[in-house]
Amino acid sequence: MTSFDRKLEKQLKDREFERQIKEAGNRLINPPSSIDDLLTLLDKVENLLAYVEQEPSKSMRDALLPSVKALITDKLLRHAEMDVKVSVVSCIIEITRITAPDAPYKDEQMKEIFQFIVAAFENMPHVSTRSYKKVVSILDTIAKVKLCFVMLDLECDALVVEMFQSFLKIIRSNYPPFVLSAMETIMNLVIDESEDISLDLLSSLFAIVRKENQNVSPISWTLGEQIITRINAQLERIMAPTQKLPNELESAHDVNVEVVKRASDQPSTILEDLHLGKVEEVKTTMFPMVHKVQDEIMLIPHIDFVIPNESNAVEFKVLLV
């Protein structure tokens, strides 16, 4: 086969792939009424999107448009069935990966998508349920592409606190290693990127690391301890002897002193305690810890998402360029 033949063959395969994506997206515009049929269609769309690389061609961008528009509609994103919502959000996360560093939708739409994502974390299903793999995939992708930075850019402060609380509540030692590591990575990314730590977030962290909780939920306690150790510099400023503490942190002094003392001569323990393998230590602008996630080093350059200011119609910035 000549180089020309190989090139022609690739072009034909690309066109067929684009045709399948466009066709599946068009079917989403008028989705099937059957829940099973709809879930099957969403699975197909997600599987196709997973093969689309970043910075797609113009023809691929055109092929993606039907899916981009359909997934944000009320009939899908606000579907009554939780499995459908999770599948829709999982598809949207794939689109967000493709369009990075640009956000695929407008500010208000992205905020609503994040609300659905955090709700999915809060109700993280049992490992045997259909939605479990979807939620895990969403979690992993958010960690890998640093999607949590968009939450900070959009000033979703309350939602960030809610997400932290969800992680501390649902984390279990029997989760796969990369799930635990993804949660820690997301929390560390948020902490490192935030100039100030909210009182609500601090209150949640100190509540989880009280001594009486150590035996109730050891893995949650250890994760909370690791995060508090990571923000010790901010805490030193907030909790200075001359600084009057807000009501939310009145009893936090003793807890913080104990946590910092335990951690002063040892690194983060959450991954080591679970025997998840070697922790890679690197230098960042503020703190020295980045961990492996599913055999990939989470050392991803900072992604500056471009979020449009308007907030009415659907906008898919990358695809329309």
Side-chain angles (χ1 to χ4, degrees):
M1 181 181 290
T2 65
S3 59
F4 175 80
D5 291 334
R6 286 193 293 271
K7 184 177 180 179
L8 180 60
E9 183 180 26
K10 183 180 182 305
Q11 288 176 341
L12 292 174
K13 288 182 178 179
D14 289 345
R15 288 176 185 174
E16 173 59 20
F17 182 54
E18 291 167 1
R19 184 195 66 77
Q20 291 181 32
I21 290 179
K22 187 172 184 177
E23 181 183 276
N26 283 328
R27 289 178 61 196
L28 281 179
I29 295 175
N30 294 298
S33 56
S34 165
I35 300 297
D36 289 339
D37 291 344
L38 178 54
L39 289 173
T40 299
L41 176 57
L42 287 167
D43 283 346
K44 180 178 181 179
V45 171
E46 183 181 358
N47 289 335
L48 289 169
L49 292 173
Y51 284 98
V52 180
E53 298 179 355
Q54 290 184 310
E55 300 183 3
S57 64
K58 176 63 168 60
S59 58
M60 177 60 77
R61 296 198 296 266
D62 291 341
L64 289 170
L65 274 175
S67 295
V68 173
K69 293 179 179 179
L71 289 166
I72 201 68
T73 59
D74 289 350
K75 66 180 73 173
L76 290 182
L77 191 57
R78 297 178 183 84
H79 198 281
E81 181 65 35
M82 180 55 69
D83 282 346
V84 173
K85 286 182 180 179
V86 172
S87 292
V88 169
V89 171
S90 192
C91 290
I92 290 175
I93 289 295
E94 282 296 332
I95 288 175
T96 305
R97 174 191 60 78
I98 296 167
T99 66
D102 295 307
Y105 301 105
K106 293 190 173 184
D107 289 9
E108 293 306 312
Q109 293 167 327
M110 289 301 298
K111 288 179 181 179
E112 185 173 15
I113 289 167
F114 284 126
Q115 289 173 353
F116 284 117
I117 290 172
V118 173
F121 292 155
E122 289 177 346
N123 299 285
M124 192 152 177
H126 190 272
V127 293
S128 62
T129 63
R130 184 187 190 283
S131 292
Y132 174 78
K133 290 183 179 180
K134 300 283 185 183
V135 176
V136 166
S137 177
I138 292 170
L139 180 70
D140 191 41
T141 303
I142 289 175
K144 285 181 176 177
V145 303
K146 300 186 178 182
L147 189 56
C148 49
F149 287 162
V150 183
M151 298 177 72
L152 298 178
D153 290 341
L154 294 176
E155 299 181 348
C156 301
D157 298 337
L159 203 56
V160 168
V161 173
E162 192 175 336
M163 180 174 65
F164 271 53
Q165 291 172 339
S166 295
F167 289 167
L168 293 170
K169 177 182 177 181
I170 68 174
I171 192 169
R172 297 290 184 272
S173 59
N174 63 342
Y175 281 163
F178 77 93
V179 172
L180 302 172
S181 187
M183 287 182 183
E184 187 184 15
T185 295
I186 292 170
M187 296 174 81
N188 286 339
L189 286 171
V190 170
I191 291 295
D192 289 356
E193 191 71 9
S194 301
E195 293 183 4
D196 297 303
I197 310 299
S198 74
L199 294 178
D200 288 338
L201 183 52
L202 288 175
S203 180
S204 298
L205 290 170
F206 280 113
I208 203 68
V209 297
R210 295 191 182 282
K211 198 170 187 63
E212 57 267 27
N213 292 330
Q214 186 172 4
N215 295 326
V216 176
S217 181
I219 185 66
S220 180
W221 188 90
T222 304
L223 177 58
E225 183 184 48
Q226 185 268 321
I227 298 298
I228 288 177
T229 304
R230 195 175 184 87
I231 60 176
N232 188 44
Q234 292 98 316
L235 288 174
E236 287 179 350
R237 183 181 70 251
I238 297 171
M239 303 174 69
T242 57
Q243 179 78 22
K244 178 175 173 56
L245 287 176
N247 293 334
E248 296 92 330
L249 300 178
E250 276 185 348
S251 60
H253 268 304
D254 294 339
V255 177
N256 182 54
V257 169
E258 184 179 348
V259 168
V260 174
K261 182 179 179 182
R262 278 195 306 270
S264 61
D265 59 353
Q266 62 182 11
S268 170
T269 57
I270 179 172
L271 296 187
E272 293 178 354
D273 286 351
L274 295 170
H275 307 289
L276 306 191
K278 181 180 178 182
V279 177
E280 185 77 11
E281 182 172 304
V282 300
K283 293 295 182 182
T284 67
T285 55
M286 293 178 63
F287 300 99
M289 292 190 306
V290 174
H291 300 298
K292 285 188 176 182
V293 175
Q294 213 172 6
D295 298 326
E296 295 184 15
I297 299 298
M298 291 303 304
L299 190 57
I300 306 174
H302 182 91
I303 296 178
D304 292 316
F305 282 81
V306 179
I307 310 292
N309 294 322
E310 300 82 12
S311 58
N312 293 320
V314 172
E315 179 179 10
F316 191 38
K317 185 165 185 176
V318 171
L319 298 188
L320 298 180
V321 171

